[in-house]
């Protein structure tokens, strides 16, 4: 799964309409997750969140111990879903505030 594909599956930023991207980080190293990060114990503490490339708005972050690399997309997907939900909520608020002004 490429970053491109993940970005396309998400709604645009509710604040600026910019392109969001899902990010997964190794919480221990605060860096992008690499296959070699999975060491002897086989569990990594991973955080995933979605952020907007244009304005830096961030979606809800999810942190979880992940035992296998194939589980990474699951966490990413959860972050993407939270972004989309939040997006819909915030867009409604935004539209309401514009109309109210
Ligand atoms: Zn934005």
């Amino acid at each position: 799964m490429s970053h491109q594909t993940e970005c396309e599956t998400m709604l645009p930023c509710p604040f600026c309409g910019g392109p969001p991207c899902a990010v997964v980080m190794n919480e221990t190293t605060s860096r992008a997750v690499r296959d070699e990060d999975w060491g002897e114990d086989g569990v990594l503490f991973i955080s995933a969140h979605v952020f907007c490339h244009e304005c830096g708005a961030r979606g809800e972050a999810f942190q979880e111990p992940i035992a296998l690399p194939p589980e990474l997309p699951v966490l990413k997907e959860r972050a993407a879903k939270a972004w989309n939900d939040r997006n819909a909520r915030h867009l409604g608020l935004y539209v309401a505030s514009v109309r109210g002004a």
Side-chain angles (χ1 to χ4, degrees), residues 45-58:
F45 202 54
I46 305 290
S47 83
H49 71 271
V50 175
F51 77 98
C52 168
H53 268 298
E54 294 296 324
C55 72
R58 272 180 66 147

PDB file of all heavy atoms in Angstrom, residues 45-58:
ATOM      1  N   PHE A  45       5.658  -0.282  19.993  1.00  0.00           N
ATOM      2  CA  PHE A  45       4.611   0.652  20.375  1.00  0.00           C
ATOM      3  C   PHE A  45       4.473   1.673  19.246  1.00  0.00           C
ATOM      4  O   PHE A  45       5.388   2.457  18.987  1.00  0.00           O
ATOM      5  CB  PHE A  45       4.965   1.334  21.696  1.00  0.00           C
ATOM      6  CG  PHE A  45       3.765   1.887  22.392  1.00  0.00           C
ATOM      7  CD1 PHE A  45       2.677   1.091  22.676  1.00  0.00           C
ATOM      8  CD2 PHE A  45       3.730   3.219  22.759  1.00  0.00           C
ATOM      9  CE1 PHE A  45       1.559   1.602  23.313  1.00  0.00           C
ATOM     10  CE2 PHE A  45       2.604   3.742  23.395  1.00  0.00           C
ATOM     11  CZ  PHE A  45       1.527   2.925  23.672  1.00  0.00           C
ATOM     12  N   ILE A  46       3.345   1.616  18.576  1.00  0.00           N
ATOM     13  CA  ILE A  46       3.147   2.397  17.367  1.00  0.00           C
ATOM     14  C   ILE A  46       2.066   3.449  17.587  1.00  0.00           C
ATOM     15  O   ILE A  46       1.072   3.192  18.241  1.00  0.00           O
ATOM     16  CB  ILE A  46       2.689   1.494  16.199  1.00  0.00           C
ATOM     17  CG1 ILE A  46       3.670   0.339  15.986  1.00  0.00           C
ATOM     18  CG2 ILE A  46       2.509   2.298  14.928  1.00  0.00           C
ATOM     19  CD1 ILE A  46       5.006   0.737  15.441  1.00  0.00           C
ATOM     20  N   SER A  47       2.271   4.621  17.032  1.00  0.00           N
ATOM     21  CA  SER A  47       1.187   5.594  17.013  1.00  0.00           C
ATOM     22  C   SER A  47       0.875   5.954  15.571  1.00  0.00           C
ATOM     23  O   SER A  47       1.765   6.009  14.718  1.00  0.00           O
ATOM     24  CB  SER A  47       1.551   6.844  17.810  1.00  0.00           C
ATOM     25  OG  SER A  47       2.313   7.719  17.027  1.00  0.00           O
ATOM     26  N   ALA A  48      -0.400   6.161  15.307  1.00  0.00           N
ATOM     27  CA  ALA A  48      -0.828   6.529  13.967  1.00  0.00           C
ATOM     28  C   ALA A  48      -1.746   7.733  14.046  1.00  0.00           C
ATOM     29  O   ALA A  48      -2.574   7.834  14.945  1.00  0.00           O
ATOM     30  CB  ALA A  48      -1.551   5.364  13.294  1.00  0.00           C
ATOM     31  N   HIS A  49      -1.550   8.675  13.157  1.00  0.00           N
ATOM     32  CA  HIS A  49      -2.480   9.791  13.072  1.00  0.00           C
ATOM     33  C   HIS A  49      -2.479  10.336  11.648  1.00  0.00           C
ATOM     34  O   HIS A  49      -1.615  10.004  10.842  1.00  0.00           O
ATOM     35  CB  HIS A  49      -2.112  10.899  14.065  1.00  0.00           C
ATOM     36  CG  HIS A  49      -0.860  11.646  13.697  1.00  0.00           C
ATOM     37  ND1 HIS A  49       0.378  11.252  14.106  1.00  0.00           N
ATOM     38  CD2 HIS A  49      -0.683  12.757  12.950  1.00  0.00           C
ATOM     39  CE1 HIS A  49       1.286  12.102  13.629  1.00  0.00           C
ATOM     40  NE2 HIS A  49       0.668  13.020  12.920  1.00  0.00           N
ATOM     41  N   VAL A  50      -3.463  11.164  11.370  1.00  0.00           N
ATOM     42  CA  VAL A  50      -3.579  11.776  10.051  1.00  0.00           C
ATOM     43  C   VAL A  50      -3.318  13.264  10.203  1.00  0.00           C
ATOM     44  O   VAL A  50      -3.772  13.888  11.160  1.00  0.00           O
ATOM     45  CB  VAL A  50      -4.989  11.540   9.464  1.00  0.00           C
ATOM     46  CG1 VAL A  50      -5.158  12.282   8.147  1.00  0.00           C
ATOM     47  CG2 VAL A  50      -5.219  10.050   9.269  1.00  0.00           C
ATOM     48  N   PHE A  51      -2.554  13.816   9.307  1.00  0.00           N
ATOM     49  CA  PHE A  51      -2.335  15.263   9.360  1.00  0.00           C
ATOM     50  C   PHE A  51      -2.492  15.871   7.976  1.00  0.00           C
ATOM     51  O   PHE A  51      -2.384  15.196   6.956  1.00  0.00           O
ATOM     52  CB  PHE A  51      -0.967  15.594   9.955  1.00  0.00           C
ATOM     53  CG  PHE A  51       0.169  15.390   8.994  1.00  0.00           C
ATOM     54  CD1 PHE A  51       0.688  16.454   8.290  1.00  0.00           C
ATOM     55  CD2 PHE A  51       0.699  14.129   8.805  1.00  0.00           C
ATOM     56  CE1 PHE A  51       1.737  16.267   7.399  1.00  0.00           C
ATOM     57  CE2 PHE A  51       1.748  13.927   7.919  1.00  0.00           C
ATOM     58  CZ  PHE A  51       2.269  15.006   7.213  1.00  0.00           C
ATOM     59  N   CYS A  52      -2.775  17.183   7.980  1.00  0.00           N
ATOM     60  CA  CYS A  52      -2.971  17.907   6.729  1.00  0.00           C
ATOM     61  C   CYS A  52      -1.642  18.486   6.265  1.00  0.00           C
ATOM     62  O   CYS A  52      -0.936  19.139   7.031  1.00  0.00           O
ATOM     63  CB  CYS A  52      -3.988  19.020   6.939  1.00  0.00           C
ATOM     64  SG  CYS A  52      -4.054  20.183   5.560  1.00  0.00           S
ATOM     65  N   HIS A  53      -1.307  18.274   5.022  1.00  0.00           N
ATOM     66  CA  HIS A  53      -0.052  18.771   4.472  1.00  0.00           C
ATOM     67  C   HIS A  53      -0.041  20.290   4.376  1.00  0.00           C
ATOM     68  O   HIS A  53       1.010  20.919   4.443  1.00  0.00           O
ATOM     69  CB  HIS A  53       0.176  18.187   3.072  1.00  0.00           C
ATOM     70  CG  HIS A  53       0.975  16.922   3.093  1.00  0.00           C
ATOM     71  ND1 HIS A  53       2.253  16.872   3.548  1.00  0.00           N
ATOM     72  CD2 HIS A  53       0.655  15.662   2.726  1.00  0.00           C
ATOM     73  CE1 HIS A  53       2.696  15.634   3.451  1.00  0.00           C
ATOM     74  NE2 HIS A  53       1.739  14.874   2.969  1.00  0.00           N
ATOM     75  N   GLU A  54      -1.211  20.878   4.213  1.00  0.00           N
ATOM     76  CA  GLU A  54      -1.278  22.331   3.993  1.00  0.00           C
ATOM     77  C   GLU A  54      -1.186  23.127   5.296  1.00  0.00           C
ATOM     78  O   GLU A  54      -0.363  24.016   5.433  1.00  0.00           O
ATOM     79  CB  GLU A  54      -2.591  22.692   3.282  1.00  0.00           C
ATOM     80  CG  GLU A  54      -2.700  22.158   1.868  1.00  0.00           C
ATOM     81  CD  GLU A  54      -1.650  22.780   0.956  1.00  0.00           C
ATOM     82  OE1 GLU A  54      -1.332  23.970   1.116  1.00  0.00           O
ATOM     83  OE2 GLU A  54      -1.137  22.061   0.084  1.00  0.00           O
ATOM     84  N   CYS A  55      -2.051  22.810   6.262  1.00  0.00           N
ATOM     85  CA  CYS A  55      -2.131  23.644   7.462  1.00  0.00           C
ATOM     86  C   CYS A  55      -1.671  22.916   8.710  1.00  0.00           C
ATOM     87  O   CYS A  55      -1.586  23.517   9.775  1.00  0.00           O
ATOM     88  CB  CYS A  55      -3.557  24.177   7.644  1.00  0.00           C
ATOM     89  SG  CYS A  55      -4.741  22.926   8.168  1.00  0.00           S
ATOM     90  N   GLY A  56      -1.374  21.634   8.612  1.00  0.00           N
ATOM     91  CA  GLY A  56      -0.848  20.899   9.758  1.00  0.00           C
ATOM     92  C   GLY A  56      -1.910  20.427  10.735  1.00  0.00           C
ATOM     93  O   GLY A  56      -1.579  19.954  11.817  1.00  0.00           O
ATOM     94  N   ALA A  57      -3.186  20.569  10.388  1.00  0.00           N
ATOM     95  CA  ALA A  57      -4.242  20.064  11.262  1.00  0.00           C
ATOM     96  C   ALA A  57      -4.043  18.572  11.477  1.00  0.00           C
ATOM     97  O   ALA A  57      -3.651  17.851  10.562  1.00  0.00           O
ATOM     98  CB  ALA A  57      -5.610  20.331  10.633  1.00  0.00           C
ATOM     99  N   ARG A  58      -4.306  18.126  12.712  1.00  0.00           N
ATOM    100  CA  ARG A  58      -4.081  16.732  13.034  1.00  0.00           C
ATOM    101  C   ARG A  58      -5.352  16.042  13.453  1.00  0.00           C
ATOM    102  O   ARG A  58      -6.161  16.614  14.176  1.00  0.00           O
ATOM    103  CB  ARG A  58      -3.084  16.608  14.181  1.00  0.00           C
ATOM    104  CG  ARG A  58      -1.646  16.567  13.729  1.00  0.00           C
ATOM    105  CD  ARG A  58      -0.747  16.437  14.915  1.00  0.00           C
ATOM    106  NE  ARG A  58      -0.932  15.159  15.592  1.00  0.00           N
ATOM    107  CZ  ARG A  58       0.054  14.503  16.203  1.00  0.00           C
ATOM    108  NH1 ARG A  58       1.250  15.008  16.230  1.00  0.00           N
ATOM    109  NH2 ARG A  58      -0.171  13.362  16.789  1.00  0.00           N
TER     110      ARG A  58
END
